[in-house]
Structure formats: C-alpha cells, structure tokens
Amino acid sequence: MGLRQVANGTATEAGVIDSISRTMAKAVDGISALAARFSSDQNFCMSLVKAVELIANSGGRVVVSGVGKSGHIGRKIAATMASTGTSAYFVHPTEASHGDLGMITSDDLLILLSWSGETAELANMLTYAKRFNVPVISVTSNAESLLARNSAVAIALPKVVEACPHGLAPTTSAMLQLAVGDALAIALLERRGFSAEDFKTFHPGGKLGSQLLLVSELAHSGEAIPLLPIGTAMSDAVIHMSTKGFGVLGIVDGNGLLAGVITDGDLRRHMSQNLLLETVETVMSHNPRVVKSTILASAAMEFMQAQKVTVLFLVDAQGAPTGILHIHDLLRAGVA
C-alpha cells in the first residue's frame, strides 16, 4: 500500500504525509552523509577521536554552549554526558557574558556548537577561553570559521539540506549535532568502562532506575529464607514451607551450600501415604535454578520468564544461599 493510498481521504492528508516523508528522507540523508564522512575523511574521523581523548584526559568539567537550536542540542549533549559518567553542564553564552564565565575554570573544557561557526554570542566565551587556556572543541559545518580556527579540536560536519522547505529552520543540521554529541558521550562511556551499576548511580528514579536495581536490593534475606538441612523429615519440611509462604523450600548440605529445592510441584509428584515419613533429600529437585546476588533485577526477570519459574534463590560464589526472590518483588519494584 502506497502513501497516497494511506491518505485516500483528502488532499490535505496526502500533503501532510508527503511532508513527513520528505523530512524523514532528509534525516536519513543527513545521517548517511555524516557516517560517510566519518568512514572516508581521515581528518574528520581523527577530530572526533581527538575530542574524546581531550575530554577523557581533562581534569575538570565539560562546559557545553550554543545559541538557539544549537543551544537546545547543547543542553541535551551535556545531560547525556553527565548521566554517563562525564561531568558536564550547559552554560548559555548570554548568561556567560553576564557573570557565568566565572563558572568556567582553567581545568575545564568547552564544547561550542554553531552551525555557521560565526555566532556572535560565542565571541566572549572564545576570548575567555584564550585568556585562561581553556581548550575548545567546536562543532560546526564551517571548517574555516572563526570558531573552528580558534578551537583545539574542530569537528566540521558535512553541509546538509534542512528539512525546512525554506532552508531556514535548523532540522537536519540539529540532528547531526546531536548525533555527534551522542557519539562522543558513548565513546567516553565505553572508554572508561562505565557499567550498568555505574549508570544506576545517576538514574535512581523512574522506570530506568527500577531496571538497574540489583536482585540483592529486592530479595528477602536472613530468617525470611525458607531453608532446612538434608535429613530433615518431610513432616517438618511441609510445615516450614507453609510458614515461610514462598511455595518453595531450599535444602542445604553440611557445608551450607544449596543442594536442592522442594516446590509445590515436587510435593504433588511425591504425594503418597508415606510422604511425611520421608526425608527432604528423597523429594527435593537437584540442580536448582539460582542467580547470583550481583545481577540486575531486569536480568532476573528475564531468567524467570525463560525458565517459567516464579521464585529464585540467590547464592554467593560458593553456592551458599543468601536470599530468595519472588516475581512479585520484581513487579512491585516496577521491573517488567
């Protein structure tokens, strides 16, 4: 079915679909041009590499600035860097000219965004950077601009056609700036080995925070864990299992390691007149499904769904039980 067939109601609908299609095509063309320059232009490729190294080796913070749409993109770049382990913040160039330059120290580093490279509002920041030897990374489309020529690293983006039919509203160009900012942030993240656990430190709230919880933070521990030793009579095991309320019982050996589990299903399979006279090792399932206490809650949820179980024991490196986790604990915490 073609776009015209989708918009078979009115000419207006068809026009809207055509407009959206052209904008998306311009976006694809822009990113393709950026990727092509990175793979074919050694100078452009190395400018990004040098920018990553300069930021990684900086002893201070990354200060991002820009005007208009470049400023909005700059805010997002600063936020992405800050949330992935690179200390960064945004300063508006007008505010910088009225006192906020004092926030920038000689240990810091500037990332200045300007498509033309001739944005007048950035002049005072450039002057300040020169005076106090603050390194500048510029992101612009004009390698011969004032901004690029006064930068330690100039990232010269390919000139692209804006989606705006008048060529005025920054659209495709803003997307390229954002793509470069994301590329720098992720390269820095991977360079320093920023882990999911590190990520959690900066994202404690919301859905993302729940996905980054460790199972040990949600599991029940201590006396709440249903555990009995090998040799225990099933008459005592059934009572203990019912009292703890997890529908499962862990069986530990003489070394305190988890040797097996008894579930409601095991009880049904071994149901007989003599069940309560038997010992736990004759009923338990060997090789129980367990997880380490250091894994993410989201990973535990995936494991439960794959194994079709609702309860997991947490064990340490030796195999000793340290906690028990029910799927309801994950759902209450928002892990899904």
Side-chain angles (χ1 to χ4, degrees):
M1 181 180 292
L3 291 177
R4 291 287 183 181
Q5 289 175 294
V6 173
N8 58 8
T10 66
T12 300
E13 289 175 344
V16 169
I17 288 178
D18 281 345
S19 175
I20 293 171
S21 177
R22 288 194 304 271
T23 299
M24 290 183 174
K26 290 290 192 304
V28 172
D29 291 344
I31 291 297
S32 296
L34 184 65
R37 174 165 289 191
F38 182 76
S39 61
S40 63
D41 187 332
Q42 182 69 11
N43 290 332
F44 178 69
C45 177
M46 290 311 299
S47 70
L48 290 167
V49 173
K50 289 175 182 176
V52 170
E53 292 301 313
L54 189 59
I55 297 169
N57 294 324
S58 172
R61 299 159 299 177
V62 175
V63 182
V64 187
S65 191
V67 178
K69 304 302 183 291
S70 293
H72 292 300
I73 296 299
R75 289 181 187 277
K76 195 276 180 184
I77 292 172
T80 299
M81 286 187 172
S83 70
T84 52
T86 299
S87 181
Y89 63 96
F90 179 85
V91 172
H92 194 282
T94 301
E95 298 299 332
S97 297
H98 291 274
D100 282 0
L101 282 172
M103 301 167 64
I104 305 169
T105 73
S106 57
D107 293 326
D108 296 334
L109 179 148
L110 285 171
I111 296 180
L112 302 182
L113 290 82
S114 169
W115 188 250
S116 68
E118 302 291 347
T119 304
E121 291 89 341
L122 294 175
N124 287 337
M125 298 191 78
L126 273 177
T127 301
Y128 182 89
K130 287 290 184 183
R131 180 181 176 185
F132 293 100
N133 295 317
V134 179
V136 174
I137 296 172
S138 60
V139 182
T140 176
S141 67
N142 187 356
E144 301 303 319
S145 64
L146 176 68
L147 177 58
R149 287 186 283 105
N150 286 276
S151 301
V153 177
I155 300 173
L157 302 176
K159 287 181 168 55
V160 293
V161 179
E162 301 287 10
C164 170
H166 310 297
L168 299 175
T171 47
T172 314
S173 59
M175 185 182 62
L176 263 60
Q177 290 176 325
L178 181 59
V180 165
D182 285 344
L184 294 177
I186 299 305
L188 288 162
L189 176 155
E190 294 180 346
R191 186 184 187 280
R192 62 170 51 94
F194 193 81
S195 67
E197 286 73 22
D198 295 323
F199 211 86
K200 178 178 178 292
T201 302
F202 299 102
H203 300 79
K207 181 67 175 179
L208 185 55
S210 67
Q211 295 294 325
L212 295 171
L213 288 170
L214 300 179
V215 288
S216 58
E217 298 177 78
L218 300 175
H220 306 267
S221 59
E223 292 298 319
I225 310 175
L227 294 173
L228 287 175
I230 285 178
T232 301
M234 280 303 300
S235 56
D236 294 329
V238 170
I239 294 173
H240 192 75
M241 185 172 170
S242 300
T243 301
K244 296 297 183 179
F246 288 99
V248 66
L249 177 68
I251 308 301
V252 293
D253 62 19
N255 296 316
L257 306 182
L258 191 67
V261 296
I262 297 175
T263 66
D264 291 333
D266 293 320
L267 293 180
R268 288 192 296 272
R269 284 188 290 273
H270 289 81
M271 188 62 65
S272 69
Q273 291 182 341
N274 297 322
L275 174 63
L276 299 181
L277 301 178
E278 298 183 25
T279 54
V280 290
E281 59 268 28
T282 62
V283 177
M284 71 182 189
S285 298
H286 297 270
N287 301 315
R289 298 178 182 89
V290 298
V291 294
K292 295 294 196 309
S293 59
T294 54
I295 74 165
L296 293 175
S298 55
M301 174 66 85
E302 291 179 10
F303 183 73
M304 282 184 173
Q305 292 173 333
Q307 298 295 322
K308 295 181 172 56
V309 297
T310 58
V311 181
L312 288 173
F313 279 95
L314 278 59
V315 296
D316 60 20
Q318 287 70 45
T322 60
I324 187 169
L325 183 72
H326 196 284
I327 195 169
H328 290 165
D329 299 317
L330 297 173
L331 295 175
R332 278 193 295 267
V335 181

